Amino acid sequence: MSPDAAQRSVLRAADELFYAHGISGVVMSDIRDASGVSMRRLYGMYPSKSELVAAWLTDRHDTWMAWFAASVERHVSGGADPVLATFDAIAEWVTTPGYRGCAFINSLAETSEIDETHSTIIAAHKRDLVEHLAQLAARDHPNAPSWFPAALAVIIDGVIVQCTIFASTDPLDAARSAVHQLLETTST
Amino acid sequence: MSPDAAQRSVLRAADELFYAHGISGVVMSDIRDASGVSMRRLYGMYPSKSELVAAWLTDRHDTWMAWFAASVERHVSGGADPVLATFDAIAEWVTTPGYRGCAFINSLAETSEIDETHSTIIAAHKRDLVEHLAQLAARDHPNAPSWFPAALAVIIDGVIVQCTIFASTDPLDAARSAVHQLLETTST
DNA sequence: TTGACAAGAGAATGATCGTTCTCATATCCT
DNA sequence: AGGATATGAGAACGATCATTCTCTTGTCAA
């Protein structure tokens, strides 16, 4: 297996396993078994589980943001408002089989597995999301209040969490109504 | 030590340790050391760590809801709107030293430590919170839309999560502005 | 006092885990 | 070809953990 293929295989295995079972629910030999990369090579690539977790979070940030941006654009090009399209994207996600909430929020909750490096990646992910939401809002709602993107980010994280807890999209629908109302009463 | 005192001591230790370090970050002998209750008695009270976790979650639900209701009432009696007072209560909480987000959201993220019994307690906690928010909203905003309490619960959970991630109350302030705006444009 | 049982201290047990090591097998440079 | 190096398979190591067991010390009813 080429170094690149091994790298990819490990990150794919890490994503599937860490997301599904949590960090402390996955042992290094699970990663070996799922990726087909031997212990020796695994530890050659990442000198510790903690560094593998950091690489996973970084990779997941890129992947998730790209998916989210693309999904939103798809709904926008179908005629949706850019802000409300974020709810269409999240709706797709939370109804995906195997959905288990936000990997970053979940990881941060596993205190004993997380160090400052990880928290930094997690905070950067959420900062990038707020940034992206601000750009979406600016497109069609230039007069929205300055607090709007941060509030939208709060609402989206709340939706992600509550759809997990209740195993339902009801929280998403309520949140969408609220944001619809905010848009109607604040912007252009 | 009386049975009652032992019970209380164990639950207090469980709350401090599980909340601060997560479930898998606490070992049974930590509970023994913090509570002063011997292994033997501990396992006499709770036949497994999992059942101790369930007892902790149940106890925390009671404690937290009582604290939240009291804090909201205190702000209401100081003249605040019952709905906006929920943000004052949450603001108190997130600025408490040792704040680490919502114990229920955090626990659910520790997949490998959680079984269906625990998830049921967690979902019931959030359901009770929505219920309580609905009663608060009904008091001063009888004409609020039916989605309002669920949306408020989503926003509050988003605030709880993001204030943890960003170690800041900025998300709370943005969310408060959003809810203020919603109240102004939907109710009486 | 005595005997029966509750409780404490903490060692033992068996499992799991992160990490490293051994030995055998390619692979590559010359 | 031949020797250095990389890699795989998987056992070994040392730590940690949930849970149980032993041995000892109250404690209380008669």
Side-chain angles (χ1 to χ4, degrees):
Chain A
M1 185 158 31
S2 80
D4 259 39
Q7 192 90 244
R8 267 193 305 276
S9 180
V10 168
L11 284 177
R12 196 170 44 72
D15 190 45
E16 278 169 18
L17 295 172
F18 285 145
Y19 183 65
H21 309 297
I23 298 171
S24 70
V26 175
V27 306
M28 290 301 271
S29 51
D30 293 337
I31 302 278
R32 173 197 57 192
D33 296 345
S35 68
V37 169
S38 70
M39 281 294 184
R40 179 163 190 144
R41 210 165 163 188
L42 194 46
Y43 275 90
M45 293 170 156
Y46 306 102
S48 69
K49 185 183 184 183
S50 170
E51 306 203 31
L52 172 58
V53 169
W56 164 56
L57 289 172
T58 301
D59 183 62
R60 177 142 185 130
H61 168 65
D62 295 339
T63 309
W64 192 90
M65 287 298 293
W67 167 81
F68 181 69
S71 178
V72 168
E73 287 313 320
R74 184 157 27 86
H75 287 103
V76 167
S77 69
D81 176 283
V83 168
L84 293 176
T86 62
F87 288 88
D88 298 329
I90 299 293
E92 269 182 26
W93 184 32
V94 303
T95 53
T96 300
Y99 172 73
R100 262 200 9 91
C102 169
F104 300 89
I105 294 173
N106 292 349
S107 295
L108 193 59
E110 293 197 66
T111 318
S112 60
E113 304 283 332
I114 291 294
D115 65 20
E116 214 182 295
T117 302
H118 303 122
S119 326
T120 303
I121 298 171
I122 292 166
H125 167 71
K126 290 299 179 192
R127 231 184 307 281
D128 279 8
L129 180 58
V130 176
E131 180 84 15
H132 188 71
L133 294 173
Q135 285 173 16
L136 289 173
R139 253 155 72 173
D140 275 31
H141 308 279
N143 300 323
S146 62
W147 49 258
F148 184 79
L152 182 57
V154 164
I155 292 171
I156 286 178
D157 271 350
V159 166
I160 291 170
V161 163
Q162 289 216 350
C163 287
T164 315
I165 293 178
F166 291 132
S168 151
T169 58
D170 292 351
L172 187 142
D173 298 330
R176 193 205 309 262
S177 299
V179 170
H180 183 74
Q181 166 100 21
L182 284 174
L183 287 179
E184 283 203 334
T185 60
T186 65
S187 61
T188 334
Chain B
M1 185 159 28
S2 80
D4 259 39
Q7 192 89 245
R8 268 193 305 276
S9 180
V10 167
L11 284 177
R12 195 170 46 72
D15 190 45
E16 277 169 19
L17 295 172
F18 285 145
Y19 183 66
H21 306 117
I23 297 170
S24 71
V26 174
V27 305
M28 289 301 271
S29 51
D30 294 338
I31 301 278
R32 173 196 58 192
D33 296 345
S35 68
V37 169
S38 70
M39 279 295 181
R40 181 165 188 142
R41 195 122 91 130
L42 195 46
Y43 275 89
M45 294 170 154
Y46 306 103
S48 70
K49 185 182 183 183
S50 170
E51 306 203 31
L52 172 58
V53 168
W56 164 56
L57 289 171
T58 301
D59 183 61
R60 176 141 186 130
H61 168 64
D62 295 340
T63 308
W64 192 90
M65 287 298 293
W67 167 82
F68 182 70
S71 178
V72 168
E73 287 313 320
R74 184 156 28 85
H75 288 102
V76 167
S77 68
D81 175 282
V83 167
L84 293 176
T86 62
F87 288 89
D88 299 329
I90 299 293
E92 270 182 26
W93 184 33
V94 303
T95 53
T96 299
Y99 172 73
R100 264 202 7 92
C102 169
F104 299 89
I105 294 172
N106 292 349
S107 295
L108 193 60
E110 293 197 65
T111 318
S112 61
E113 303 282 333
I114 290 294
D115 65 20
E116 214 182 294
T117 302
H118 304 122
S119 326
T120 303
I121 298 171
I122 292 167
H125 167 71
K126 292 298 179 192
R127 229 185 308 280
D128 279 8
L129 180 58
V130 175
E131 179 84 15
H132 188 71
L133 295 173
Q135 285 173 16
L136 289 173
R139 253 156 71 173
D140 275 31
H141 307 279
N143 301 323
S146 62
W147 48 258
F148 185 79
L152 182 58
V154 164
I155 292 171
I156 286 177
D157 271 349
V159 165
I160 291 171
V161 163
Q162 288 216 351
C163 288
T164 314
I165 292 178
F166 290 133
S168 150
T169 58
D170 292 352
L172 187 142
D173 298 329
R176 195 204 308 262
S177 299
V179 170
H180 183 74
Q181 165 103 19
L182 284 175
L183 287 180
E184 283 203 334
T185 60
T186 65
S187 61
T188 336

